[in-house]
Amino acid sequence: MKKIKVGILFGGSSREREVSFAGGRTVYDNLDKSIFEAVPIFIDSQHRFILLDWQYIYKGTIRDFYPPVFAIQNKSFDFQYYIENLGKLSDEEYNKIIQAVGKKLEVEHLSNYVDFAFLCLHGSNGEDGRIQGLLEFLKIPYSGSGIFPSAFGMNKALQKEMMSAFQFNVPKFISITRSEWKNTDIDSLYQKIKTQVGFPLVVKPANQGSSIGVSSLKTDDKKALEKALRKAFFVYRMNREEWKKMSELEKTQWAKTFSDIRENIGLPALINQDIIYDPAELISYLDNYLLQQPYADIESIDTENEVIVEEFIDGKEFSCIVIEDEQGRPIALPPTEIIKKDVVFDYKSKYLPGLSRKVTPIDLPEHQIQAIREEAERMYKIFHFDVYARIDGFITKEGKIFLNDPNTTSGMMPSSFFFHQAAEIGLNPSEFLTYIIFISLKKRQQQSLQLNAYQDVILKLNNYLKEKQTTTSQKKLRTAVLMGGYSTERHISVESGRNVYEKLSSSEKYQPFPVFVAKANNDAGFELYTIPIRLMLKDNADDIRDKILHYQVHPIIQKIIQEASYITEKFGQTKNLNAPKKIGFEELKSMADVVFIALHGRPGEDGSLQRYLNQYQIPYNGSDVQSSSTTINKYLTNEILKKHGILVAEHLLITKEDWKKFQHHLKTIIRDEIHYPLIAKPSDDGCSSAVKKIKNEQELDAYAQLIFREKEELPTEAARLLNIKPNEEIPMKKDFLIEELVQSNGARRFLEITGGMLIKYNDKGEKEYEVFEPSEALVEGDVLSLEEKFLAGEGQNITPARFSKNPEEQKKISNYVKEQLRKTAEILNAEGYCRIDAFVRIYDADKVEVIIIEVNSLPGMTPATCIYHQAAINHYKPYEFIDAILTQGMKKKKLSSV
């Protein structure tokens, strides 16, 4: 029986296209491979449909591949562009760009490629009923709500009016049209808003999602209100004096940020009715325009026609996913409380780790949680939402519930509310997606005027589900995915572990289960816990550990599990609801055929965990004890590589004891031999944790104070001097590493790269190194940040790295760089796979220097990490790459036992 072809529609033209892109990748990865064939259909910002070559799904952002490098290689700046920044292109130019990433699809032929459309689109032309109408016309069933509820769910002004009419609590609000804003002076608008709404207040666009363009004003401030209105209408004012103070470098950085549609106006934009497409063109235009004018108003082409100004609600903020069962009865999943570090749950708060926390269920008495659920279900029914919806809101101290911004398409990134809340009732992401497709098909059939509409695909899905229920998973490889740990990298480890678990859980070969690694209560060693899905999808490693140690199932969760029992029995697994359980390695051996270590730092990358797995003869991924214990020590790694003729940065290990005794002498060596500015970092932590650019002796003193402190609390002045973020972790260590700041040294091309590889055993038991094309990392600040490395939509990585514009020279340099990476891995006896970070200086094709910075024996495996981009060039999908890693781990175990 042929699998059901699910077309995943993602990308689009809205400002939320990066969220849509990341969500599309999540769905692509998590669709049950025994039932569905995933078909990636990327819709670009010009509404072209593209059957995307699968490898581009694993890029960090849309700009990493669209437009391709060849289309922007003659641009002025060394950063990435959106396709619309290229200006008006001919059909021939567009076709060439599309052919580089996939195949252009004519909309009328879409049904030849898909049986079902899974919508991951957001904003205009995605959530507003237009794409739903197109699919209805093409007779293609799709996920989520139909035309009317989608249109309603997108327009915040209409929502407020309708909600008021149906006796929902609605804050005081007014809507302001673009015409009114343009033709009314700010004094009049200020008085109107102050009288009818009052401060504090929130200003937001009427037709945007992901909190884009939203401002919160706590105090009565006319200038701040004027700025907030401009932001919501996507108009940016640049003043002449501000522009004159900026250096050329600062102007370039500003243009780069300005063209980022997620947080700023974006290009193309209008200035005095002139259209600006290119960031360099924008700088040039402002240089001339602001010679004559006191300011320039830069208006986005992608604008907003209406803005809502509403009363600020002081209360707990929540988000609640509502699904429906086969009878059409809505079931509100446990609402999640959003705890923010700022007033507004904005774009960054939603998608950057550490800027907000999600607590499920919301921390309230049971009757209030139930009241939120009932109100969300009432809204779902009144406004005729289909399949599922995400309903946000606030509850005040008095218990008054305000619902706002219902969404008919939820964000589908791995940590989104959509999967987070489904896990509470025992559905992993793959199972939940199958359920959404199942109910969507039933809903489309019910809404169709044809009695036998979509009968073939519904019958096929039912047959697959029956077959799946009767087939046991005994033949699958039982795989323990170890995540967490207790280093500063523990949160990234959880992201990696979740991603590996999800890739394996949707496969036909593996039966994964999550295992959390925690520090033992007596601080001696570590402990292993099997955990249910609901804990695996908690916010971070600390949250998971806390829930393990104080495990209980909230009464409201038990109630929802009972309400949704039909769903979970048919689509889930009972073990998904098991309580966490502490296990030893003997029990792990009886439970698992193989282990995937998704840990970073200690105790995963230092060899200690591998020592136990070897003792109990459990196969695992990655390097063995000796290599792991070497590569986690950056100083030792540098010394070994230097001894073998590999270039490394000049370095010096500073111990706590030596710093106390010989501080003056050490400072002299650092000043005279390594020189400022330099890099300071822990010698045994990765993921850019506590890596700082040190510009002078005062900052070095501050860094030493932070690392060598005796208690968790950071010294205030030292933290201020080094611009330590409020949520940034700085470990306490007995030593740290000083390295020279690697710079271009006159090279004509200088870049930072990261290179991955797969290390296989041939039939003779010999190692073979499959070195991938390295990625070029574009760094925002002094060092590559954790977010840039691992968070979807943040880092800008270009794969393959741009060593040269000349194809022959590019190949020659790339081969040399890869050979240096291979030698490094060989010297350090890496096994399975690894990632190596380095700088490359290119003087000419025959003079290239590769300076090794760091070697990771267990690379990050989060959805956006660039090792997947590299593996894709060698035709490995992420699941296939993980499968190859596990296969080599099992082969190594087999070879060692011969």
Side-chain angles (χ1 to χ4, degrees), residues 168-232:
F168 288 96
N169 293 322
V170 177
K172 290 185 288 186
F173 77 96
I174 60 172
S175 60
I176 299 171
T177 65
R178 189 177 184 84
S179 175
E180 180 184 4
W181 172 67
K182 285 241 176 186
N183 296 307
T184 308
D185 64 87
I186 186 60
D187 291 326
S188 300
L189 282 176
Y190 166 72
Q191 288 300 330
K192 178 180 178 179
I193 290 167
K194 186 175 179 179
T195 302
Q196 296 186 32
V197 178
F199 291 85
L201 53 79
V202 176
V203 181
K204 55 187 174 185
N207 294 284
Q208 301 290 329
S210 290
S211 302
I212 289 171
V214 177
S215 299
S216 178
L217 305 185
K218 298 180 187 177
T219 57
D220 186 339
D221 187 331
K222 184 169 68 174
K223 284 189 176 180
L225 176 63
E226 183 181 13
K227 186 177 180 180
L229 288 169
R230 280 202 301 268
K231 179 180 177 181

Side-chain angles (χ1 to χ4, degrees), residues 1 19 82 125 167 182 245 361 485 517 567 628 650 661 678 691 700 709 764 808 819 845 857 865:
M1 188 162 54
V19 177
Y82 282 109
N125 300 303
Q167 283 78 54
K182 285 241 176 186
K245 290 177 183 176
V517 181
I567 298 170
S628 298
E650 287 297 321
K661 291 180 179 178
L678 52 81
V691 179
L700 180 63
R709 71 190 188 279
K764 298 177 182 178
E808 289 184 13
E819 177 59 18
S857 61
T865 188

Side-chain angles (χ1 to χ4, degrees), residues 111-177:
S111 60
N112 295 336
Y113 295 88
V114 306
D115 302 312
F116 178 88
F118 200 107
L119 300 180
C120 294
L121 298 163
H122 297 288
S124 58
N125 300 303
E127 277 181 277
D128 57 6
R130 295 177 190 177
I131 191 72
Q132 290 82 359
L134 174 64
L135 292 167
E136 295 270 7
F137 179 76
L138 296 172
K139 296 183 179 179
I140 298 173
Y142 56 88
S143 61
S145 284
I147 300 168
F148 165 72
S150 296
F152 167 77
M154 194 64 216
N155 189 307
K156 294 179 178 65
L158 176 61
Q159 287 169 17
K160 298 290 184 194
E161 295 171 11
M162 296 288 284
M163 287 165 67
S164 183
F166 283 97
Q167 283 78 54
F168 288 96
N169 293 322
V170 177
K172 290 185 288 186
F173 77 96
I174 60 172
S175 60
I176 299 171
T177 65

Side-chain angles (χ1 to χ4, degrees), residues 635 652-663 666 670 683 704 707-708 733-738:
Y635 175 76
L652 181 66
L653 187 69
I654 307 291
T655 67
K656 191 173 185 177
E657 187 178 344
D658 285 348
W659 186 253
K660 284 181 180 178
K661 291 180 179 178
F662 312 114
Q663 188 176 138
L666 288 170
I670 290 167
S683 62
I707 295 293
F708 295 150
K733 299 285 185 181
K734 293 181 179 178
D735 58 50
F736 66 89
L737 191 62
I738 293 291

Side-chain angles (χ1 to χ4, degrees), residues 244-411:
K244 283 171 65 177
K245 290 177 183 176
M246 293 168 68
S247 67
E248 290 305 312
L249 182 61
E250 288 171 331
K251 288 177 181 178
T252 300
Q253 187 58 45
W254 173 84
K256 179 180 180 180
T257 304
F258 183 88
S259 59
D260 188 336
I261 56 167
R262 297 166 300 169
E263 296 182 79
N264 222 303
I265 304 303
L267 295 172
L270 286 170
I271 306 179
N272 198 27
Q273 299 307 307
D274 293 321
I275 300 179
I276 311 294
Y277 294 95
D278 185 289
E281 182 188 357
L282 175 62
I283 292 173
S284 177
Y285 191 100
L286 289 173
D287 280 340
N288 294 318
Y289 188 81
L290 291 174
L291 288 174
Q292 308 296 326
Q293 303 297 331
Y295 63 82
D297 277 344
I298 313 168
E299 302 185 48
S300 174
I301 295 288
D302 181 15
T303 187
E304 180 59 63
N305 292 320
E306 193 170 12
V307 162
I308 303 294
V309 182
E310 67 182 25
E311 172 189 11
F312 176 78
I313 304 299
D314 186 13
K316 286 178 179 280
E317 188 171 359
F318 62 82
S319 188
C320 184
I321 301 290
V322 182
I323 60 175
E324 62 179 85
D325 62 16
E326 283 198 65
Q327 285 69 47
R329 178 175 61 103
I331 301 173
L333 298 180
T336 298
E337 180 180 358
I338 304 153
I339 302 174
K340 312 177 292 292
K341 285 193 166 69
D342 204 349
V343 175
V344 176
F345 189 46
D346 61 9
Y347 186 96
K348 278 199 170 186
S349 297
K350 282 185 176 179
Y351 304 116
L352 280 178
L355 297 187
S356 66
R357 286 199 64 232
K358 304 184 185 89
V359 177
T360 307
I362 186 171
D363 185 16
L364 286 171
E366 187 179 341
H367 74 276
Q368 287 190 318
I369 302 175
Q370 184 60 22
I372 290 172
R373 294 186 64 231
E374 289 172 1
E375 195 73 342
E377 289 172 354
R378 184 168 79 92
M379 173 175 276
Y380 188 95
K381 286 190 284 190
I382 285 174
F383 296 121
H384 298 277
F385 293 130
D386 302 325
V387 185
Y388 76 94
R390 195 193 85 219
I391 298 173
D392 301 335
F394 294 86
I395 182 167
T396 66
K397 291 178 182 177
E398 299 73 32
K400 195 173 184 180
I401 298 168
F402 291 86
L403 300 183
N404 68 321
D405 301 351
N407 292 268
T408 53
T409 301
S410 173

Side-chain angles (χ1 to χ4, degrees), residues 7-19:
I8 302 163
L9 274 58
F10 63 124
S13 59
S14 82
R15 295 176 182 275
E16 301 173 79
R17 71 187 78 154
E18 293 289 6
V19 177

